[in-house]
Amino acid sequence: MVSHKEFAGAGKKPGLQVWRIENLDLKPVPQALHGSFFTGDAYLLLFTTSAPSYNVHMWLGDSCSQDESGAAAIFSTQLDDFLGGGPVQYRELQNSESNTFLGYFKSGIKYQRGGVASGFQHVVTNDMSVKRLLHLKGRRAIRATEVDMSWNSFNKGDCFIVDLGQHIYQWCGSECNRFERLKASELGIDIRDNERNGRAKLHMVEEGEEPAEIIEALGPKTTIAPSTVDDEKVDTSNRKKGALYMISDASGSMKVSAVAPSSPFKQAMLSPEECYILDNGVDKNIFVWKGPKANKAERRAAMSAGQQFIKDKGYSNKTQIQVLPAGAETTLFKQFFFNWMDKDETTGPTKAYTIGRIAKVDQVPFDASSLHSNKAMAAQHGMVDDGKGKVQIWRVEGEKVPVDPSAYGHFYGGDCYLILYSYRLGGREQHIIYTWQGLKCTQDELAASAFLTVKLDDSMGGSPVQVRVRVTQGQEPPHLMSLFQGKPMIIHSGGTSRKGGQSHSGSTRLFNIRQSSSSATRAVEVEEVSASSLNTNDVFVLKSPNALYVWRGVGASDEEMEAAKYVVDFLGGSAKHVSEGSEPGGCDFWAALGGKKDYQTSKSLQNMVNAPRLFGCSNKTGRLTVEEVPGDFTQSDLATDDVMLLDTWDQIFLWVGNEANAEEKTGAPKIAKDYVESDPSGRRGLPITTIKQGAEPPTFTGWFQAWESKMWEMDPLDRIRARFQR
């Protein structure tokens, strides 16, 4: 087996690894520049989960050469071989990437002109002489494309980033909407914090209010073009129609024969001795399924068979390809089958699991005492190690004030904190600086935290190997959660830990304890102490003036119960344990919660074969379209000027934002009905529940961890503008 030297560290730790094809060889891309792609190049990406399981992506820029794309295909096959044939393989094409790919880059992806052939390199610098213009497109998945540095590149309907090195300007067209502004701001913050190591100033500029610096860079302002409409949206009438083919080399050359002309298919149609193509070309998707007992030649040729199939069918060259080994089927693939079953080979989000070399998924018991010896953690957020390095924490009080180590792991919503994490990698000391910002801290504290972060970075030499992570309360990455030696991270909704300044906490408090897929746990204080905040899949700790309870939902894990002990110790007292459905009538458990109410009781969160999916229904482009939110969705992905569709497999929710227009409100129910009726898995007659922003029932909010009922009381644009401050 041919193995490249770069593969020596491939898949060893959870997270994302990116290589560029340079002179037909692999060169790693620095982590700070992940999500930035030269359009003249080809890339290889490996995403490793905590299981571990693997996704291999081959990304091809519009201007990359045949030699580069060929080399990427060869390296993709070699990496698949190196990892035992277990990865899911994807072919990604510029501007047509899969949602799986886009989900790695929640702040958006950037397309830069040029490539290896023209001398452009991926180098992290503090170069303040940068001068470029980025055109931002998209509402759920942001793509930023480098365009000519000219007023002719602008239009009234989009946002643009005028990047002048020391100053980064987010220019907003007069016809762009609020949610696009929010997403553009996230990308601007990402450029400042990662590409400039936090050393640039970020500004928001409205059309017609351009400062002299922009005029100087672009020349005298000319007439701005009107907004443009996306013309590459796929006609939804043909979505999700599929055909199934078997591929075989029995005759000495690869042949394709029809198995079933239309979906839904029966799972029994897939023989373990064969490989198959599931043709969803009308939706620009091709799936190649590799049977575990198929011969090696067929398995190795899976990607090339998919590419040849696209050519033979005359499909768009933007058609995506997913190559799937048995046992690693994606949600998109499984939806074409009637009642797909993963019996004894699936696991819920609260359990660690392992995907074997071919297909077998085995349960892995979790030992809370050995959390930090477990290297497989938090793939999605790029875990650098097991969290056993040195931790220092300061609270922001104008200056940074050391936090007593005995209080490490406790974070208060009225505070901001700096967390310096130091560890050794390859014989060198490396650092991560986390800036944690509470939702109830002051604007002065927000500004001071940003300034002190830069000051701390400068004091350490400002080395580009350092990573700086800005964390908003409730959005903590699992690596940060793992720093507290097996204890849960405890998030207090408000208050402060500073001496003499503590605010009086409520007489009744409720903490929601949930374990992430990385095995780390977090206890989040719930703002609304109510029975409607409970969730059958979690553990809750309730403290009332008269008693202390630990409530265990039916779907909760032993690890979450273990974490509850630390919350109980902090609150003080002896806890009574209450199991869901067995709450004693004589206790004041329900009384402390304001009476018994409906709450999230779906165990789908515990034993999910089909993960929940979130879509936005919008007519901002001129016609009503539906677009999926990539990656793990959060409450912040609910666009207040759209109607959102949440598919929890056994129920459909339509969430109506307060600023959604009349066409979206009237058209979304028909879209939901069509979505269910066209489902290739055969789902029919699902309940469709329409809810309004601000009146969400627990059956909806339970799909979002630590739902914040007061999130929209503050204008989201004002909230993100506060993050512009330095």
Side-chain angles (χ1 to χ4, degrees), residues 397-408:
E397 298 183 17
E399 289 295 326
K400 60 183 194 339
V401 177
V403 172
D404 188 325
S406 65
Y408 281 8

Side-chain angles (χ1 to χ4, degrees), residues 61-255:
D62 281 347
S63 304
C64 81
S65 68
Q66 285 290 331
D67 287 345
E68 288 169 329
S69 63
I74 291 170
F75 287 130
S76 177
T77 300
Q78 290 179 356
L79 182 55
D80 180 66
D81 285 344
F82 179 79
L83 296 172
V88 175
Q89 296 181 65
Y90 298 78
R91 185 181 74 150
E92 308 286 359
L93 300 162
Q94 181 183 336
N95 282 309
S96 297
E97 295 86 356
S98 67
N99 265 358
T100 301
F101 183 92
L102 296 172
Y104 305 145
F105 313 106
K106 290 292 279 186
S107 296
I109 57 178
K110 301 181 284 292
Y111 301 136
Q112 297 180 256
R113 286 179 169 177
V116 174
S118 46
F120 291 89
Q121 299 296 321
H122 280 291
V123 180
V124 183
T125 70
N126 293 320
D127 181 12
M128 294 302 179
S129 63
V130 173
K131 190 175 181 181
R132 63 177 176 170
L133 178 63
L134 298 174
H135 180 192
L136 277 58
K137 295 290 287 184
R139 286 172 61 78
R140 321 300 159 194
I142 296 295
R143 292 178 171 91
T145 304
E146 187 174 354
V147 294
D148 288 338
M149 194 81 175
S150 163
W151 287 112
N152 293 333
S153 299
F154 288 76
N155 72 72
K156 294 177 176 290
D158 292 330
C159 291
F160 292 76
I161 298 288
V162 184
D163 185 358
L164 302 180
Q166 191 170 358
H167 293 273
I168 301 168
Y169 298 91
Q170 177 188 328
W171 184 94
C172 303
S174 57
E175 297 174 15
C176 75
N177 62 65
R178 292 169 55 80
F179 198 65
E180 288 171 338
R181 291 167 183 254
L182 283 170
K183 290 296 184 181
S185 296
E186 291 175 3
L187 183 68
I189 290 169
D190 181 74
I191 292 173
R192 178 194 65 190
D193 292 350
N194 290 318
E195 294 190 25
R196 298 299 132 71
N197 285 322
R199 289 177 171 79
K201 293 187 180 299
L202 194 54
H203 313 270
M204 187 176 290
V205 176
E206 299 295 329
E207 178 186 346
E209 301 176 5
E210 295 82 5
E213 290 81 2
I214 289 184
I215 302 298
E216 182 180 345
L218 293 167
K221 186 179 176 184
T222 58
T223 302
I224 302 296
S227 58
T228 58
V229 177
D230 286 333
D231 57 1
E232 291 192 11
K233 291 291 181 185
V234 179
D235 182 0
T236 58
S237 63
N238 283 328
R239 277 182 177 268
K240 300 178 181 172
K241 292 182 179 178
L244 189 64
Y245 298 85
M246 184 174 73
I247 53 179
S248 171
D249 68 345
S251 61
S253 61
M254 205 66 70
K255 296 183 66 174

